[in-house]
Amino acid sequence: MLLALAACLAFVAYTYFVYPLLIAVAARFWPQTIAADDHWTPMVSVCLPVFNSAAFIDAKLQSLLQMQWPADKLEILIFDDASTDASPERLAAWVQKDARIRVYTADCRAGKPSALNQL
């Protein structure tokens, strides 16, 4: 019992004190240099779960497409969570206008967490 307690305390001490100290010493004496690449731009995916969004979806997509980001490095993923208004028609029109926009639709309401997981 005492040995198990000592092992647990040693593990906690190592995790909170010894390991950070070892990392600090290693960083001080063996620094890593990382070359920055100014020509590399990451791909950005905008995940947008929507439900009955006909009132604002046009303004939202217009705003997203006006971002100052390279067009080939931006995609807009929209999950229509079984909307009952004119959202599907508006989203279909946007898909026809811009290839960066992809729309996924649900047959029944699943909620925002499920929509984000799907995207």
Short mmCIF file of all heavy atoms in Angstrom, two decimals, residues 2 8 11 21 24 30 44 52-53 58 65 69-70 83-84 93 95 97 102 114 119:
data_model
loop_
_atom_site.label_atom_id
_atom_site.label_comp_id
_atom_site.label_asym_id
_atom_site.label_seq_id
_atom_site.Cartn_x
_atom_site.Cartn_y
_atom_site.Cartn_z
N LEU A 2 1.88 1.24 0.86
CA LEU A 2 2.77 2.38 0.95
C LEU A 2 3.58 2.55 -0.34
O LEU A 2 3.83 3.67 -0.78
CB LEU A 2 3.70 2.21 2.16
CG LEU A 2 4.54 3.41 2.53
CD1 LEU A 2 3.66 4.61 2.83
CD2 LEU A 2 5.43 3.09 3.71
N CYS A 8 2.53 6.68 -6.87
CA CYS A 8 1.58 7.70 -7.34
C CYS A 8 2.12 9.10 -7.09
O CYS A 8 2.04 9.98 -7.97
CB CYS A 8 0.23 7.52 -6.66
SG CYS A 8 -0.67 6.07 -7.21
N PHE A 11 4.88 9.80 -9.53
CA PHE A 11 4.34 10.08 -10.86
C PHE A 11 3.83 11.51 -10.95
O PHE A 11 4.08 12.22 -11.93
CB PHE A 11 3.24 9.08 -11.20
CG PHE A 11 2.61 9.32 -12.54
CD1 PHE A 11 3.30 9.01 -13.69
CD2 PHE A 11 1.34 9.87 -12.64
CE1 PHE A 11 2.75 9.24 -14.94
CE2 PHE A 11 0.78 10.11 -13.88
CZ PHE A 11 1.48 9.79 -15.03
N LEU A 21 10.91 20.69 -15.99
CA LEU A 21 12.30 21.11 -15.81
C LEU A 21 13.20 20.50 -16.88
O LEU A 21 14.06 21.17 -17.44
CB LEU A 21 12.78 20.71 -14.41
CG LEU A 21 14.19 21.15 -14.04
CD1 LEU A 21 14.26 22.67 -14.02
CD2 LEU A 21 14.59 20.57 -12.69
N ALA A 24 12.61 22.39 -20.12
CA ALA A 24 13.23 23.71 -20.08
C ALA A 24 14.74 23.61 -20.30
O ALA A 24 15.33 24.40 -21.03
CB ALA A 24 12.92 24.40 -18.75
N TRP A 30 19.62 22.74 -26.32
CA TRP A 30 19.45 22.19 -27.67
C TRP A 30 18.23 22.81 -28.34
O TRP A 30 17.21 22.13 -28.56
CB TRP A 30 19.29 20.67 -27.61
CG TRP A 30 20.46 19.99 -27.00
CD1 TRP A 30 21.67 19.78 -27.57
CD2 TRP A 30 20.53 19.44 -25.68
NE1 TRP A 30 22.49 19.13 -26.69
CE2 TRP A 30 21.81 18.91 -25.51
CE3 TRP A 30 19.63 19.37 -24.61
CZ2 TRP A 30 22.23 18.31 -24.34
CZ3 TRP A 30 20.05 18.76 -23.45
CH2 TRP A 30 21.33 18.25 -23.32
N VAL A 44 -8.21 26.85 -45.27
CA VAL A 44 -9.19 27.20 -44.24
C VAL A 44 -10.55 26.64 -44.63
O VAL A 44 -11.01 26.85 -45.76
CB VAL A 44 -9.28 28.73 -44.06
CG1 VAL A 44 -10.41 29.10 -43.13
CG2 VAL A 44 -7.97 29.28 -43.54
N ASN A 52 -33.12 26.99 -40.79
CA ASN A 52 -34.02 28.10 -41.13
C ASN A 52 -33.25 29.42 -41.21
O ASN A 52 -33.53 30.38 -40.50
CB ASN A 52 -35.18 28.20 -40.13
CG ASN A 52 -36.17 27.07 -40.31
OD1 ASN A 52 -36.13 26.34 -41.29
ND2 ASN A 52 -37.06 26.93 -39.36
N SER A 53 -32.30 29.44 -42.10
CA SER A 53 -31.37 30.58 -42.20
C SER A 53 -31.65 31.48 -43.39
O SER A 53 -30.79 32.27 -43.75
CB SER A 53 -29.95 30.03 -42.30
OG SER A 53 -29.85 29.25 -43.48
N ASP A 58 -27.67 34.77 -47.09
CA ASP A 58 -27.05 35.51 -48.20
C ASP A 58 -25.99 36.49 -47.68
O ASP A 58 -24.88 36.55 -48.21
CB ASP A 58 -28.11 36.26 -49.01
CG ASP A 58 -29.04 35.31 -49.74
OD1 ASP A 58 -28.59 34.21 -50.12
OD2 ASP A 58 -30.21 35.68 -49.94
N LEU A 65 -17.22 35.22 -48.33
CA LEU A 65 -16.53 35.24 -49.62
C LEU A 65 -15.72 36.51 -49.83
O LEU A 65 -14.85 36.54 -50.70
CB LEU A 65 -17.53 35.04 -50.75
CG LEU A 65 -18.17 33.64 -50.80
CD1 LEU A 65 -19.27 33.60 -51.84
CD2 LEU A 65 -17.12 32.59 -51.07
N TRP A 69 -8.57 36.18 -48.31
CA TRP A 69 -7.91 34.89 -48.22
C TRP A 69 -7.86 34.32 -49.63
O TRP A 69 -8.83 34.48 -50.38
CB TRP A 69 -8.69 33.96 -47.29
CG TRP A 69 -7.86 32.84 -46.78
CD1 TRP A 69 -7.85 31.56 -47.23
CD2 TRP A 69 -6.91 32.89 -45.72
NE1 TRP A 69 -6.96 30.81 -46.54
CE2 TRP A 69 -6.36 31.62 -45.59
CE3 TRP A 69 -6.47 33.90 -44.87
CZ2 TRP A 69 -5.39 31.31 -44.66
CZ3 TRP A 69 -5.51 33.59 -43.94
CH2 TRP A 69 -4.99 32.32 -43.83
N PRO A 70 -6.78 33.66 -50.02
CA PRO A 70 -6.71 33.11 -51.38
C PRO A 70 -7.90 32.19 -51.67
O PRO A 70 -8.24 31.33 -50.86
CB PRO A 70 -5.40 32.35 -51.39
CG PRO A 70 -4.58 32.96 -50.31
CD PRO A 70 -5.55 33.43 -49.27
N SER A 83 -33.90 22.36 -42.71
CA SER A 83 -34.62 23.63 -42.67
C SER A 83 -36.00 23.50 -43.29
O SER A 83 -36.20 22.75 -44.24
CB SER A 83 -33.82 24.70 -43.43
OG SER A 83 -32.63 24.98 -42.77
N THR A 84 -36.94 24.30 -42.75
CA THR A 84 -38.31 24.26 -43.26
C THR A 84 -38.67 25.56 -44.00
O THR A 84 -39.81 25.73 -44.40
CB THR A 84 -39.30 24.04 -42.10
OG1 THR A 84 -39.10 25.07 -41.13
CG2 THR A 84 -39.09 22.68 -41.47
N ALA A 93 -28.61 27.88 -54.81
CA ALA A 93 -28.21 28.97 -55.70
C ALA A 93 -26.76 29.37 -55.43
O ALA A 93 -26.00 29.65 -56.37
CB ALA A 93 -29.14 30.16 -55.52
N VAL A 95 -24.39 27.44 -54.26
CA VAL A 95 -23.52 26.35 -54.75
C VAL A 95 -23.28 26.51 -56.25
O VAL A 95 -22.17 26.28 -56.75
CB VAL A 95 -24.13 24.97 -54.43
CG1 VAL A 95 -23.41 23.86 -55.16
CG2 VAL A 95 -24.11 24.73 -52.93
N LYS A 97 -23.25 29.36 -57.83
CA LYS A 97 -22.46 30.56 -58.05
C LYS A 97 -20.98 30.36 -57.74
O LYS A 97 -20.14 30.94 -58.41
CB LYS A 97 -22.96 31.71 -57.15
CG LYS A 97 -24.17 32.41 -57.64
CD LYS A 97 -24.35 33.68 -56.81
CE LYS A 97 -25.73 33.71 -56.22
NZ LYS A 97 -25.95 34.90 -55.39
N ARG A 102 -19.89 24.12 -50.35
CA ARG A 102 -20.48 22.77 -50.40
C ARG A 102 -21.55 22.66 -49.33
O ARG A 102 -21.34 23.08 -48.19
CB ARG A 102 -19.41 21.71 -50.19
CG ARG A 102 -18.51 21.57 -51.40
CD ARG A 102 -17.59 20.41 -51.27
NE ARG A 102 -16.45 20.84 -50.47
CZ ARG A 102 -15.58 20.03 -49.91
NH1 ARG A 102 -15.73 18.73 -50.04
NH2 ARG A 102 -14.57 20.49 -49.20
N SER A 114 -24.11 17.62 -33.79
CA SER A 114 -24.12 16.60 -34.82
C SER A 114 -23.74 17.19 -36.17
O SER A 114 -23.01 16.57 -36.97
CB SER A 114 -25.50 15.96 -34.90
OG SER A 114 -25.53 15.00 -35.93
N LEU A 119 -19.66 17.79 -40.55
CA LEU A 119 -18.81 18.62 -41.40
C LEU A 119 -17.36 18.25 -41.21
O LEU A 119 -16.56 18.29 -42.11
CB LEU A 119 -19.03 20.10 -41.10
CG LEU A 119 -20.40 20.63 -41.51
CD1 LEU A 119 -20.56 22.07 -41.05
CD2 LEU A 119 -20.59 20.56 -43.01
#
